[in-house]
Amino acid sequence: MKKPETVREIALDLIEKIENNQSFSHLLINDALKKSDLNPMDRALLTELVYGTTQRRITLDFYLAPFLKKTPENWVLNLLRLSVYQLTFLDKVPEHAILHEAGEIARDRGHEGVTKFVNGVLRNVIRKGVPKIEDITDETTRIAVETSLPTWLAKRWIAQFGAEKTREIGLSFMEAPSQSVRVNENKVTVAELQAELSAQGIETEQNPYIPEALMMEKGSIAETQAYHNGRCTIQDESSMLVAHALQLEDGLRVLDACSAPGGKTTHIGEKMHNTGEIIALDIHPHKTKLVNKAAKRLDLTNITTEVLDARKATEQFEAASFDRVLVDAPCSGFGVLRRKPDIKYSKTEADVVNLARIQEAILAEVSTLLKENGILVYSTCTIDQQENRGVVEAFLQTHPEFQLERVQLPEKMQAYVKADYLELVPTDIGSDGFFIASFRKKRIK
């Protein structure tokens, strides 16, 4: 009988899949946790090992460099990264346990030579200590290594935000993400949901910036009746701001041009009290199914999905037929690196340029569908300014019938609105990085 896999063996498998298949870390971890029978402590350790090793890959490679004469096989390198992560960042794991487990994995997967190599490298790391990041003289390289950002990305953000701000942002991405919950106020009040969850041992706090948001302090909400019965939705607080920016009223006709997986779509539906009409587009059929599933769970009947590339929306809908249009555009995702650290290794500078073009094309296409005096909201979950400010400026230059207006957000968020748009970085309120701009279509003379 095959012996059960240890936490570190499972972690190594997941790290390999993330790197080799460019799979999203959060999806792989969630799937592994569902399939495993690990106890709560081991589940937490697995999550920490996979996220931590993936998040800090560049830092770990810097630490390992003096001890490697040549690059070993990929799985061996990942085993070393996993082990050095534990040695340098997890104080509660004894060194002997890390060495023993690494040796066992090396023996099971390789041969005696690999085992000796892994043990030798790790013992050298313990004996000599890892190199000091502060000894790196080049500022860009030092920030890139400390924050585990690819050098091209660190250089790019230093040009956009400055060196110290980039360092702060990069370090903030190393922190564990918080979980926030959107209360469906059509079904329950915030206070009622808090009391219900508290009775189940789930502790929450009122979000200080968004009235309908709760922050998870202890416990999980995904398996509760409150979630299954549509009284709440798991959503980052930054994403909740989009529905506020749309300045919604009951009975409006709204186009959500890039809707999946449906968090913002359903929030719009709730804000409109299940009235009016929301047309939710996505280019992939399996993704529109996610939107439909979310709407069904929340008992929202004002949402209709269509499989359609937003860049072809004018072929399907009449000009000036929507009161509000949302373009939550496909983007690099550089604002959600806490949750998806693998993104920073898979994206390139060319991807950013290409995504900005796609964003501009979607905006240009759907803008004709908006009625006079209607509101078009553009949002992304990236902090890169070419995808954000750059797209806004390009759109305004080619669409004089639109004017940028100050984004309307809950009162305590207004302080973060600068130059009329919201450019939220994770060091601001502890949320994901996010961008929102609001345009109004002028009356045509």
Side-chain angles (χ1 to χ4, degrees):
M1 180 183 289
K2 184 181 177 182
K3 67 176 183 177
E5 284 191 305
T6 66
V7 173
R8 290 168 182 83
E9 286 174 322
I10 298 171
L12 181 59
D13 286 337
L14 294 178
I15 291 165
E16 287 282 282
K17 287 177 182 176
I18 291 165
E19 187 172 353
N20 295 337
N21 305 327
Q22 293 193 347
S23 304
F24 284 136
S25 50
H26 68 297
L27 297 178
L28 284 174
I29 291 171
N30 289 341
D31 186 55
L33 291 175
K34 285 178 183 176
K35 293 177 179 177
S36 76
D37 57 356
L38 297 173
N39 62 51
M41 188 176 296
D42 282 344
R43 291 167 72 88
L45 178 59
L46 176 65
T47 303
E48 171 70 37
L49 291 176
V50 177
Y51 267 121
T53 305
T54 303
Q55 189 69 271
R56 296 183 184 270
R57 183 194 300 174
I58 292 171
T59 309
L60 296 171
D61 285 351
F62 171 76
Y63 288 159
L64 278 165
F67 306 100
L68 301 177
K69 293 179 181 178
K70 62 179 182 178
T71 305
E73 283 185 70
N74 211 50
W75 74 267
V76 178
L77 179 58
N78 278 316
L79 175 58
L80 290 171
R81 287 168 173 161
L82 175 64
S83 302
V84 172
Y85 174 73
Q86 296 171 81
L87 288 170
T88 53
F89 294 104
L90 298 186
D91 297 335
K92 293 182 180 179
V93 183
E95 290 178 353
H96 67 84
I98 297 167
L99 282 170
H100 173 74
E101 187 79 25
E104 290 296 302
I105 293 172
R107 189 171 289 108
D108 288 345
R109 283 199 171 202
H111 48 76
E112 194 59 34
V114 175
T115 307
K116 288 180 179 178
F117 171 76
V118 168
N119 279 330
V121 170
L122 295 180
R123 288 185 188 281
N124 270 334
V125 169
I126 293 169
R127 186 171 65 253
K128 296 180 181 179
V130 296
K132 294 180 179 179
I133 293 172
E134 55 265 33
D135 290 342
I136 301 173
T137 54
D138 180 73
E139 183 178 54
T140 301
T141 304
R142 185 171 61 253
I143 291 172
V145 169
E146 184 181 9
T147 61
S148 254
L149 290 173
T151 303
W152 72 266
L153 189 55
K155 183 178 180 181
R156 185 179 180 88
W157 285 356
I158 288 169
Q160 294 179 8
F161 300 105
E164 188 52 38
K165 186 72 172 176
T166 296
R167 179 177 177 274
E168 290 172 3
I169 290 170
L171 291 175
S172 75
F173 281 132
M174 304 291 186
E175 298 167 6
S178 58
Q179 188 179 77
S180 50
V181 175
R182 188 184 82 225
V183 180
N184 184 354
E185 294 180 298
N186 295 329
K187 292 192 170 196
V188 65
T189 67
V190 172
E192 287 170 344
L193 183 62
Q194 273 195 290
E196 178 183 340
L197 295 174
S198 179
Q200 300 170 45
I202 299 172
E203 297 176 12
T204 62
E205 280 191 6
Q206 171 75 53
N207 184 284
Y209 301 99
I210 303 169
E212 67 268 36
L214 292 174
M215 304 305 295
M216 298 296 298
E217 297 293 319
K218 178 186 175 184
S220 174
I221 204 162
E223 299 303 322
T224 63
Q225 283 299 308
Y227 179 81
H228 289 300
N229 294 341
R231 295 197 294 280
C232 60
T233 294
I234 299 168
Q235 185 181 26
D236 188 73
E237 65 262 45
S238 61
S239 295
M240 298 182 206
L241 296 169
V242 169
H244 290 268
L246 283 162
Q247 301 179 51
L248 297 163
E249 303 168 9
D250 287 1
L252 296 180
R253 189 168 192 245
V254 180
L255 177 68
D256 186 349
C258 312
S259 63
K264 300 175 189 70
T265 316
T266 53
H267 196 192
I268 293 168
E270 291 170 14
K271 282 284 185 186
M272 287 167 48
H273 305 102
N274 206 19
T275 67
E277 181 184 19
I278 303 159
I279 307 294
L281 310 182
D282 197 273
I283 195 170
H284 300 293
H286 70 279
K287 289 191 174 182
T288 57
K289 289 178 182 177
L290 295 176
V291 181
N292 287 328
K293 184 179 179 181
K296 183 177 180 181
R297 182 179 64 82
L298 294 161
D299 294 322
L300 292 170
T301 57
N302 59 346
I303 295 171
T304 303
T305 59
E306 294 202 28
V307 179
L308 183 66
D309 186 336
R311 290 170 291 184
K312 298 180 180 179
T314 55
E315 298 175 12
Q316 185 81 4
F317 304 105
E318 292 183 10
S321 59
F322 289 92
D323 302 289
R324 302 286 188 271
V325 173
L326 169 61
V327 176
D328 184 54
C331 70
S332 61
F334 287 144
V336 295
L337 294 183
R338 282 178 186 159
R339 303 174 197 279
K340 304 175 184 178
D342 36 282
I343 287 175
K344 61 187 174 184
Y345 308 118
S346 61
K347 290 287 188 291
T348 66
E349 198 151 17
D351 290 328
V352 176
V353 173
N354 185 50
L355 284 163
R357 288 180 185 145
I358 293 171
Q359 292 152 5
E360 290 171 19
I362 293 173
L363 276 174
E365 177 76 4
V366 302
S367 63
T368 63
L369 304 178
L370 191 65
K371 296 177 182 178
E372 287 184 3
N373 204 40
I375 295 170
L376 167 62
V377 167
Y378 170 68
S379 64
T380 72
C381 61
T382 185
I383 62 173
D384 193 273
Q385 293 176 355
Q386 184 170 357
E387 297 178 82
N388 295 336
R389 296 183 196 180
V391 170
V392 168
E393 290 165 4
F395 177 73
L396 289 172
Q397 285 174 4
T398 53
H399 294 80
E401 72 276 22
F402 281 86
Q403 63 185 26
L404 185 68
E405 69 171 31
R406 185 176 177 84
V407 175
Q408 297 302 302
L409 299 174
E411 184 180 355
K412 290 185 179 179
M413 282 302 305
Q414 288 298 332
Y416 296 96
V417 177
K418 306 235 171 85
D420 289 333
Y421 46 70
L422 177 74
E423 190 176 56
L424 202 62
V425 295
T427 53
D428 287 332
I429 64 171
S431 68
D432 291 337
F434 211 80
F435 179 86
I436 306 176
S438 183
F439 309 93
R440 189 176 291 272
K441 195 169 189 177
K442 302 174 191 174
R443 186 172 297 278
I444 301 171
K445 296 180 182 178

